[in-house]
Amino acid sequence: MTLSGDDRRWLEVAIAEARAGRDEGGIPIGAALVADGRLLAGGHNRRVQHGSAIHHGETNALENAGRQPPSVYRRSTMYTTLSPCDMCSGSILLYGIPRVVIGENVTFMGAEDHLRSRGVEVIVADDEECKAMMREFIATNPELWNEDIGEED
């Protein structure tokens, strides 16, 4: 899918977050929460770095954005480099975020259908850099990847 210039700009922020996570020794998944053309916060998967069970890219971006009024979430877009898992999709639904732009869903297919069924607009960019980062990470760190998505080795 061809993204608008603004969508490409904010997805690039999420990609930069994914690179930061990778460079810190973590899982290369990044996110950016944007409202009214303004970045509220970026975040990346920090499960490894923080010994956390819940700091995926999207939840880390929400954490970094701090408390927001419900009206802000309801006019926001979550940009994420990877299809959101059940936990991250639940957070998107909980806060009423109406739109999600996903870098890729080839290496992992999250709860996109569930998001759509609840009225969330889901756009998949099919971004080559996002796919390449995840393929490389999964190939070199299969145990860590399985842990991140709750799978047994």
Side-chain angles (χ1 to χ4, degrees):
M1 158 155 231
T2 303
L3 299 180
S4 72
D6 283 342
D7 283 338
R8 186 77 233 169
R9 172 185 175 203
W10 299 120
L11 182 59
E12 287 295 331
V13 171
I15 292 169
E17 288 282 348
R19 284 188 213 112
R22 176 196 62 202
D23 294 348
E24 293 170 0
I27 299 165
I29 303 168
L33 183 63
V34 175
D36 304 322
R38 182 175 63 89
L39 178 66
L40 299 176
H44 54 271
N45 187 306
R46 290 191 169 153
R47 290 186 68 251
V48 173
Q49 300 91 313
H50 291 186
S52 171
I54 62 169
H55 273 273
H56 282 193
E58 300 90 337
T59 56
N60 188 245
L62 286 164
E63 173 74 13
N64 292 340
R67 292 175 57 200
Q68 300 292 324
S71 62
V72 171
Y73 294 118
R74 285 174 173 72
R75 58 181 194 270
S76 296
T77 298
M78 178 67 77
Y79 293 85
T80 179
T81 58
L82 186 65
S83 185
C85 70
D86 289 334
M87 177 176 66
C88 295
S89 294
S91 296
I92 290 163
L93 293 172
L94 176 68
Y95 290 107
I97 297 169
R99 188 167 181 266
V100 179
V101 175
I102 298 167
E104 68 104 347
N105 62 3
V106 174
T107 61
F108 177 79
M109 173 60 80
E112 293 175 29
D113 288 341
H114 184 61
L115 289 170
R116 287 185 188 98
S117 78
R118 298 283 302 273
V120 175
E121 179 185 7
V122 176
I123 298 167
V124 180
D126 197 33
D127 183 86
E128 289 303 322
E129 183 176 1
C130 293
K131 289 189 278 190
M133 269 195 291
M134 287 309 300
R135 283 184 181 125
E136 179 181 331
F137 178 81
I138 292 167
T140 58
N141 300 281
E143 314 83 24
L144 195 53
W145 172 241
N146 285 333
E147 175 189 319
D148 195 63
I149 60 173
E151 296 288 330
E152 294 291 329
D153 291 334

